[in-house]
Amino acid sequence: MSADLALYALGLGDDALIAAQRLGELYASSPEMEEDVALANIALDQLGAARLLLGYAAELTGAGDEDTLAFLRGPAEFRNHVLVELPNGDFAVTVAKLLFLAAWQRPLYARLAASGDERLAGIAATAGLETAYHLDHATQWTVRLGDGTPESHRRMQDAIDRLWPYTRELFVADPVARRLPGIAADPDRAEWTGTVEAALAEATLRVPGEAGVPAGLDGRAGRHTEHLTELLDEMQRLHRAHPGARW
Amino acid sequence: MSAGWPLWEVFVRPRRGLAHTHAGSLHAPDAAMALRNARDLYTRRQEGVSVWVVPSDAVVASGDELDPAPDKPYRHPTYYSVPDGAPHL
């Protein structure tokens, strides 16, 4: 069971770590300085959750630590959902990605706060509080861009449409979670849909039709896009050049 | 770099019973976002229990009418000698 629990914590931790890395890339290049600070804060929240989850996963397997897991794995060993590894692109894409992720993380962490595993419950309780702010921030921007100028509306709708197929993966039954009754939690698709559709409605945006996960991809099984390889090249560069480097 | 967002003045009330004091300023597209940006920039470490944001152009500032008149030195208490034995005067 502890191997499954480690794998489960790893999946959640990888989602947070890769999301943090993508948001961190925007540091000093957001549309405005105030937005730089907001996105950096969110990136740090995600990084904090990632450290706790990866640290716990490493403890459970008895091999290595959070750094080993972050810096010494290749793309096929990462368990994050494909959604979080997609490139930043337009600011609207970053906003849509954050909306989809936070609407998923928030209720999931809320359920995991009551997990039968005390450590996981504690981590989820802490991280869950922060995701409320992430969701609010993403919602505020979705509404402003969607219900803004014709240009911002078009770009926000384009981002929603482009990312929509990748959200399907967030609700594909996870075999690892299945083996952890009372400890893992199922993401609540109805709540996610309600949250996202309410934001899109306020933003005068159209909800895209049903779409499948893009062929061949399954983040939780380690099947990623080439974007993850590029992201890891950047994220792991220092550690590869100076193994065991410490700040 | 700036898309021309308006400037807002941020006032933070550090504790109940105290007044809001000016903390700084920021750019934001509207009042709701100004409050959120203020949270990130000025109250991230629980500095306050309440925040006001005010459009900077709604603030009317004093000019030089508060400067002391240099030709009226008698307004300043500089012509008294302090008697011995009254060190705290």
Side-chain angles (χ1 to χ4, degrees), chain A residues 161-210:
Chain A
D161 291 347
R162 203 130 44 94
L163 294 175
W164 196 255
Y166 296 93
T167 61
R168 178 79 185 80
E169 198 189 27
L170 301 172
F171 303 99
V172 170
D174 179 355
V176 177
R178 281 285 118 85
R179 296 195 293 269
L180 294 166
I183 291 177
D186 280 330
D188 187 336
R189 191 165 192 190
E191 185 171 350
W192 184 89
T193 305
T195 305
V196 169
E197 289 190 0
L200 296 186
E202 198 186 340
T204 72
L205 294 164
R206 189 171 31 77
V207 178
E210 187 71 28

